Amino acid sequence: MIERINEMYEKKDTNRLQTIFWTLLVVALIVWSGSTIDEVGIANKGITFAVSIMQGILHPDPELLFNMTKQSVPYLLIETMAIALLGTLVGAFFSFPLAFLASSKVVPMPVVIITRVLVMAIRTIPGFVYGLMFIRVTGPGPFAGVMTLSVTSIGMLTKLFSETIDDIDKSILEALDAAGCNTFEKIRCGIIPQLWSSLISTVIFRYDMNLRDATILGLVGAGGIGAPLKFAMSSNRWTQVGAILVGLVVLILFVEFFSSYLRKRLANG
């Protein structure tokens, strides 16, 4: 009995020391991070710009918001959705075979290591940098945005697809292996039927992300609604900024609701 009490006290002391250590570490990291901020202030006429932005958001330009010309918000939102969708589909097309090459349950380990290093290298570079590079190659426009979203989607989708493949029921693959099936037959009959709904759900989630990224890429000239937003902000046309932001909010809410609904249906079979 005494030994158990001593063990309990020792555990409490150990837990207390661990708590103190992690608390001090977190505090030290916060202080160190805060030391990088030299000065906190408001720019010249910052309050005036803030008021103008709020007034523009609250009083969006109805002409820009409701007409159907190529410079209108509805047209630019449709273009942004198309860029995000095509970028997602192209990325998924290349990610699907790469995911099997990155799974140790399908291919030998040397192939897995090479594929994972390649995917890691793709994921290391930010999408904004890819956008700037593709604009230099293809020129500004929607095609640069599609290429950028395709490459960034490959990095994420390949990683998530391969992790899903690694979590499948291995007994089915062993049964197919015992039946003399080759690698392609095991993928077609044993892996894809288990993963189909999960893979589609992942693609839908990536499209949701790409829709937001497509707006940001437009700021560097990669098509979509980002470029008009940048020009409107640069020229202080805040009512146009408000109209674009209202359109973006409505679009994101709609896509968020629709994608969540689809993912739940896929998860429930």
Side-chain angles (χ1 to χ4, degrees), residues 2-78:
I2 296 175
E3 292 179 356
R4 289 182 180 179
I5 294 174
N6 290 333
E7 288 179 0
M8 291 175 60
Y9 277 113
E10 289 177 358
K11 288 182 179 179
K12 286 183 178 180
D13 292 337
T14 302
N15 292 335
R16 188 180 295 111
L17 290 173
Q18 289 179 350
T19 303
I20 293 172
F21 170 76
W22 289 112
T23 302
L24 292 174
L25 180 61
V26 170
V27 171
L29 289 173
I30 293 173
V31 172
W32 173 71
S33 300
S35 65
T36 61
I37 302 175
D38 297 329
E39 183 180 354
V40 178
I42 300 176
N44 295 332
K45 298 183 179 181
I47 298 297
T48 304
F49 281 119
V51 173
S52 300
I53 293 170
M54 292 305 300
Q55 289 178 345
I57 294 174
L58 296 175
H59 302 87
D61 184 356
E63 183 179 353
L64 187 65
L65 197 57
F66 295 112
N67 72 65
M68 289 303 295
T69 63
K70 288 189 176 182
Q71 288 75 36
S72 66
V73 170
Y75 180 87
L76 292 171
L77 289 176
I78 292 173

Side-chain angles (χ1 to χ4, degrees), residues 167-226:
D167 293 335
I168 63 174
D169 185 1
K170 194 175 180 180
S171 60
I172 297 177
L173 297 181
E174 293 175 348
L176 292 173
D177 195 24
C181 296
N182 57 36
T183 301
F184 177 76
E185 290 171 338
K186 287 192 290 184
I187 292 173
R188 181 170 60 87
C189 301
I191 296 179
I192 293 179
Q194 296 186 65
L195 304 180
W196 194 244
S197 61
S198 178
L199 297 182
I200 295 177
S201 178
T202 303
V203 171
I204 294 172
F205 178 68
R206 181 64 206 185
Y207 173 71
D208 194 2
M209 294 179 61
N210 279 346
L211 191 60
R212 294 168 174 81
D213 292 343
T215 304
I216 299 173
L217 291 173
L219 296 175
V220 296
I225 202 168

Side-chain angles (χ1 to χ4, degrees), residues 95 99 102 119 123 153-164:
S95 298
V119 173
R123 296 178 64 239
S153 296
I154 289 173
M156 174 185 169
L157 291 178
T158 302
K159 184 176 186 299
L160 295 179
F161 285 175
S162 63
E163 290 177 353
T164 305

